[in-house]
Amino acid sequence: MIIDINTFYGHWPFRKLPCESMEEISASAAKNRIDAMIISSTNAIFYQDHFDGDEELAGALPPNSYQALTIDPSQPYFEDDLRLGVERFRLRAVRIHPEYHNYSLSDPCVTRLFDVLHEYGLPLLLTNTMEDPRALHSLPQKTLRADEIASMILHNKKIPVVITNASLGDWQTYKGLLEEYGNIYYDTSGLKFGLSDIIETVISEFGIPATHLLYGSHFPLYCRESILNYFSMDPVPEKIKELVLHGNAQRVFKI
Amino acid sequence: MIIDTHAHVYAYQDWGRLAEALDRYGIDRIYLSNPDELGGFYPSTDQIDRQNRVVCDFVRQNPKKARYMCYVNPALDSTIDTLKKAVEEDDAKGIKLWVATTCNSPQVNKVAEFAIDHDLPILIHTFHKYHLQLADESTGEHVAALAGRYPEAKLIMAHLGGDAYHGLKCIRNHKNVWTDVSGSNFRNGDVEYAVKIVGEDRILFGTDAFSMPFHTNIGKVDGAAISEQAKEKIFWKNAFRLFGEELG
């Protein structure tokens, strides 16, 4: 079984993607034997009313998948939008995009977000970067730093925080926090280094526990096949496959 | 069949493990260079000689699959001597340029002329960035300028130009420029875009191994929404034609 916790639906405005429709996303999932997805709205990042993007997503969501609500905690109504999202959508997480919105991770609104997520029992999905910083569109974009993310995690309620598309190098910043609080997770989409037995190397040499690594593709911005090859081209132990490909997602997102 | 036209080998690596990886991941041929183990961005003659020696030693140990690409710093007076040795003594199959100069620097002229005389492709590290561009790091514009000055030269713009949306249109009309897909990025759509802009006959498979995974680079071609014929060309047929070598 495979659960992809990091999939996007909607129009990415910075380059033309080969597949943006839910039919194409589902076809890719079927081709790659992905059984379920946690999907976030790309449109929600850029709509002034982010909730519009999530309503679109909810209307297109495949029956086997779940939604991560995009929230801008600097907006005064975000708690009400979250309440509506919990009531109306098949919600399993909240996603934030501070790199495209007008707040920083140390702002009080982020603390309030953590408090609210703690009340709802929802994890937070935080995208380290939507695209490789070396190949960003020419429009200036903020980039997040690992120390900012670590500080956010340290100073707020200890809900599960899943950092997506982050590098192995950045993990060293989070390692100590994980050992103390246990609430930090990484997805696989940013794992771009190594020769062979990549998943085992990530666990044994870089120190990301198998219980805190989740399969996420960052599709359709990234190729699904690229990361899935880590599991098909190398002899990954079954126990680790089960945890990374679905077990951790089932536990963290209560699927 | 897979021909990796862009990879690197270093003295500090476990060469047994590297050779095993070639078999495990189905790499039939790999073109190797060592541009950065010793001398940083601007290596000396001695550093270049030692770095190239590493590659030659690995190739000698793995003659069936490995091939030598001679790395040069065009700013050095010793460049032509380095290239002569590479061809006459070490059976170099191509030339590698990194960031010691931009590839359209006048200092590269002698490299291009040597490459033409000896029918050697030149693999050019190419990476456009809006932030933190290195001082002498080539972009697609530089590659296009060199290609225009030397239309007989066979040039390879590495990494799809770094940012495919910057590099590929620069080389679109230069039929003597190929591009490789190597690197850490596996953005969905980049390979499709490359086929659209430069055509399926000018795209080469590469990985930037042995640091970057074979898995992700194979995946981005396998997963691309292009024809099986185009994938075959990218994985090996285009490289086979470009380097003109029999396999096996």
Side-chain angles (χ1 to χ4, degrees):
Chain A
M1 186 186 186
I2 301 177
I3 299 175
D4 184 350
I5 64 109
N6 182 15
T7 301
F8 288 91
Y9 165 70
H11 178 62
W12 181 242
F14 296 106
R15 62 183 171 98
K16 187 175 176 187
L17 298 177
C19 27
E20 291 185 341
S21 72
M22 195 57 81
E23 289 74 22
E24 289 164 322
I25 290 168
S26 296
S28 163
K31 179 187 165 206
N32 290 287
R33 301 185 185 174
I34 291 165
D35 300 278
M37 297 175 275
I38 296 180
I39 306 177
S40 306
S41 168
T42 323
N43 292 347
I45 302 172
F46 301 104
Y47 285 172
Q48 279 196 281
D49 185 349
H50 313 295
F51 201 80
D52 282 344
D54 271 290
E55 283 186 318
E56 289 173 347
L57 169 56
L61 197 67
N64 59 336
S65 291
Y66 305 88
Q67 188 163 347
L69 187 76
T70 296
I71 286 284
D72 176 353
S74 72
Q75 298 301 319
Y77 47 76
F78 89 84
E79 294 183 49
D80 200 47
D81 273 356
L82 178 52
R83 177 186 62 79
L84 290 170
V86 169
E87 288 172 5
R88 295 180 190 175
F89 305 149
R90 203 154 62 236
L91 215 63
R92 284 299 182 273
V94 157
R95 190 160 208 148
I96 59 173
H97 288 278
E99 74 275 34
Y100 295 103
H101 298 152
N102 199 22
Y103 64 94
S104 73
L105 296 180
S106 57
D107 285 352
C109 63
V110 174
T111 296
R112 181 60 195 153
L113 174 67
F114 270 71
D115 289 345
V116 172
L117 291 178
H118 187 257
E119 289 166 19
Y120 281 108
L122 284 171
L124 178 69
L125 276 166
L126 173 66
T127 308
N128 184 69
T129 182
M130 286 295 281
E131 295 266 44
D132 188 304
R134 298 168 300 172
L136 288 174
H137 190 277
S138 57
L139 274 176
Q141 294 168 54
K142 285 194 291 184
T143 51
L144 299 180
R145 296 193 323 267
D147 62 303
E148 289 178 293
I149 297 172
S151 179
M152 175 193 74
I153 294 170
L154 175 66
H155 291 106
N156 288 295
K157 284 261 178 7
K158 301 302 177 263
I159 61 169
V161 177
V162 183
I163 306 170
T164 67
N165 200 18
S167 71
L168 283 169
D170 282 349
W171 178 253
Q172 300 313 308
T173 305
Y174 308 124
K175 207 171 162 190
L177 285 174
L178 172 67
E179 286 164 2
E180 182 152 2
Y181 301 110
N183 65 321
I184 304 171
Y185 301 82
Y186 244 41
D187 92 324
T188 53
S189 60
L191 305 182
K192 299 178 179 180
F193 184 81
L195 172 64
S196 55
D197 301 304
I198 308 295
I199 297 297
E200 285 205 77
T201 301
V202 164
I203 294 167
S204 62
E205 292 183 26
F206 286 87
I208 303 180
T211 50
H212 286 70
L213 186 62
L214 291 82
Y215 173 65
S217 67
H218 209 64
F219 186 82
L221 283 90
Y222 285 5
C223 300
R224 275 194 165 130
E225 289 79 0
S226 290
I227 294 293
L228 284 173
N229 277 347
Y230 289 161
F231 299 90
S232 60
M233 298 176 87
D234 290 330
V236 181
E238 278 309 309
K239 180 66 186 166
I240 290 177
K241 270 190 191 175
E242 281 172 17
L243 284 169
V244 178
L245 292 178
H246 65 89
N248 294 333
Q250 288 170 307
R251 190 180 73 252
V252 172
F253 296 99
K254 296 172 188 151
I255 296 171
Chain B
M1 197 172 297
I2 297 178
I3 298 178
D4 186 345
T5 63
H6 184 156
H8 308 294
V9 63
Y10 302 100
Y12 69 84
Q13 292 170 316
D14 178 343
W15 287 7
R17 199 166 157 230
L18 304 187
E20 188 269 336
L22 296 180
D23 290 339
R24 190 199 288 200
Y25 302 116
I27 308 299
D28 297 280
R29 177 146 302 152
I30 189 163
Y31 289 84
L32 296 158
S33 63
N34 182 331
D36 58 344
E37 185 162 14
L38 297 173
F41 297 154
Y42 307 101
S44 65
T45 298
D46 176 64
Q47 287 166 331
I48 284 185
D49 285 347
R50 286 158 62 199
Q51 286 171 195
N52 283 331
R53 179 61 32 216
V54 169
V55 180
C56 292
D57 288 346
F58 183 87
V59 169
R60 257 192 283 284
Q61 287 186 22
N62 299 275
K64 186 179 170 204
K65 295 194 174 190
R67 295 295 181 268
Y68 167 42
M69 300 282 280
C70 176
Y71 170 57
V72 293
N73 172 355
L76 298 174
D77 291 338
S78 56
T79 295
I80 294 301
D81 288 337
T82 301
L83 287 171
K84 279 182 181 171
K85 179 179 185 308
V87 168
E88 292 165 8
E89 296 178 28
D90 297 316
D91 196 25
K93 300 302 182 186
I95 300 169
K96 167 73 177 176
L97 298 179
W98 194 39
V99 298
T101 69
T102 54
C103 68
N104 71 329
S105 158
Q107 295 168 320
V108 177
N109 289 353
K110 56 185 183 289
V111 177
E113 289 158 11
F114 186 96
I116 292 168
D117 288 344
H118 294 84
D119 197 26
L120 295 173
I122 306 175
L123 172 61
I124 304 166
H125 167 83
T126 316
F127 216 113
H128 175 266
K129 309 159 187 154
Y130 284 106
H131 310 283
L132 302 178
Q133 188 82 42
L134 297 174
D136 296 299
E137 189 169 25
S138 297
T139 69
E141 281 183 277
H142 299 116
V143 175
L146 181 65
R149 213 155 70 230
Y150 290 100
E152 309 96 340
K154 296 177 188 174
L155 308 179
I156 305 171
M157 180 180 80
H159 312 305
L160 300 180
D163 175 357
Y165 297 86
H166 182 275
L168 289 170
K169 284 195 173 178
C170 290
I171 66 163
R172 172 164 50 182
N173 298 322
H174 293 279
K175 305 302 182 194
N176 60 326
V177 184
W178 287 254
T179 187
D180 78 48
V181 302
S182 69
S184 58
N185 274 329
F186 41 91
R187 296 199 305 181
N188 194 20
D190 275 4
V191 172
E192 292 89 330
Y193 184 72
V195 171
K196 176 184 172 184
I197 298 299
V198 303
E200 63 190 39
D201 293 323
R202 290 166 56 197
I203 305 169
L204 303 167
F205 181 74
T207 58
D208 227 7
F210 289 106
S211 301
M212 294 302 138
F214 290 112
H215 319 60
T216 53
N217 287 283
I218 290 171
K220 69 185 164 193
V221 178
D222 264 340
I226 58 177
S227 69
E228 290 306 309
Q229 170 187 272
K231 290 180 189 177
E232 206 175 23
K233 286 183 179 182
I234 293 170
F235 271 131
W236 69 275
K237 279 188 173 175
N238 292 337
F240 183 71
R241 254 198 336 268
L242 176 63
F243 285 93
E245 259 201 297
E246 292 292 327
L247 276 170

